[in-house]
Amino acid sequence: AFRVLGLGLPPASGAPWLNSEAATLFRTHVLPPRSQAQFEELLAALFPSLEAASLQRITSPRLGLSLRQAIHVAKRVESHPADERNAVERTLLVAFLPSVEREVKTEVLDEVFGASPIKAADDAPVRIAVTPDAVTIGDVSAPRRVGADPTLVPQIGHRFADIPAHTAVLESLLKDYSAGESLLLIGPQGVGKNMLCDRFLELLNAPRQYIQLHRDSSVMSLTSNPSFEGGVLSWGDSPLVKAAIHGHVLVVDEADKAPLEVVAVLKSLIEDAHMLLPDGRKLVAPEVAAARSASRCSSRLATGRQ
């Protein structure tokens, strides 16, 4: 029952990876390119409340968004239509492109979305309002966690200055957080990524689990945590596993330093909501676990009737 399914791009003229030796091992199936109409139809099925004009812009071949990127953009635009261009720019990482490529991409964005307005220097800063039940940053509101363990919630308000640049980033984070997205903070060393992350979780009253990755990180260290008690070495759940089980927010510091195999494990958890643990347990999404539990109960009832 063992099978191999290979996925790949068409062989390029400069590097024909699909040679005769590899091709004879598989039965090959060619998928035709996806048309813009099919792209729009797929996104419309996933996000029925999106306007047709917005769908046309997001799926424009000139932008070159992949399906995964388009889904990220659509999630943001569905709740915040005014952020359409900003969502595309951040998804394409326009700010990190080489200067020439960035200029070309900016021209394309201007043609698709219109020229980006210049923000006035004296614009009012984003305001933050916190109540026991909700937090509001600018025009975005989200419920706060109730009954969270206070020892796991960062407390840095007394030493954090809500400067306009940071509050604007916090508002953008809250938009993606409310849409159920995982967040990635990119910036030079010392710019305040960790402080901003802790401030964000403090405002939400969200419990935090923390791990720091490096080039020697392994899959075992990602999923297990060693402890030495009473002269006995034992292995318990890592912060990642605790966060997944209890619904905490996992902060992964220095994520760009992780080896490829560790990144693959993180991808399976973030993108697919699925992870196998070394002790045989399996992390799955709550709805998958509920469905499996219902299936087992039905199976026991059927067996009892028999």
Side-chain angles (χ1 to χ4, degrees), residues 67-81:
L67 177 59
R68 180 180 298 171
Q69 291 173 328
I71 289 175
H72 285 307
V73 172
K75 279 185 180 180
R76 176 74 170 256
V77 175
E78 189 176 35
S79 303
H80 308 281

Side-chain angles (χ1 to χ4, degrees), residues 151-225:
T151 62
L152 297 177
V153 179
Q155 303 292 334
I156 65 164
H158 62 285
R159 54 189 177 92
F160 184 88
D162 288 323
I163 62 176
H166 280 173
T167 54
V169 174
L170 289 173
E171 182 185 24
S172 182
L173 291 175
L174 190 59
K175 291 178 180 179
D176 286 328
Y177 179 86
S178 301
E181 294 276 32
S182 299
L183 309 175
L184 174 64
L185 275 66
I186 301 176
Q189 184 177 4
V191 78
K193 297 186 293 295
N194 285 292
M195 290 286 287
L196 200 64
C197 180
D198 287 346
R199 176 60 172 161
F200 183 67
L201 298 180
E202 180 185 26
L203 293 172
L204 289 168
N205 195 41
R208 178 196 68 172
Q209 298 287 346
Y210 176 89
I211 58 174
Q212 186 176 41
L213 302 181
H214 47 80
R215 63 181 183 180
D216 295 325
S217 296
S218 63
V219 176
M220 177 64 73
S221 65
L222 192 67
T223 57
S224 303
N225 190 35

Side-chain angles (χ1 to χ4, degrees), residues 106-118:
T106 301
E107 291 178 1
V108 172
L109 291 169
D110 288 342
E111 294 176 6
V112 174
F113 299 104
S116 179
I118 300 175

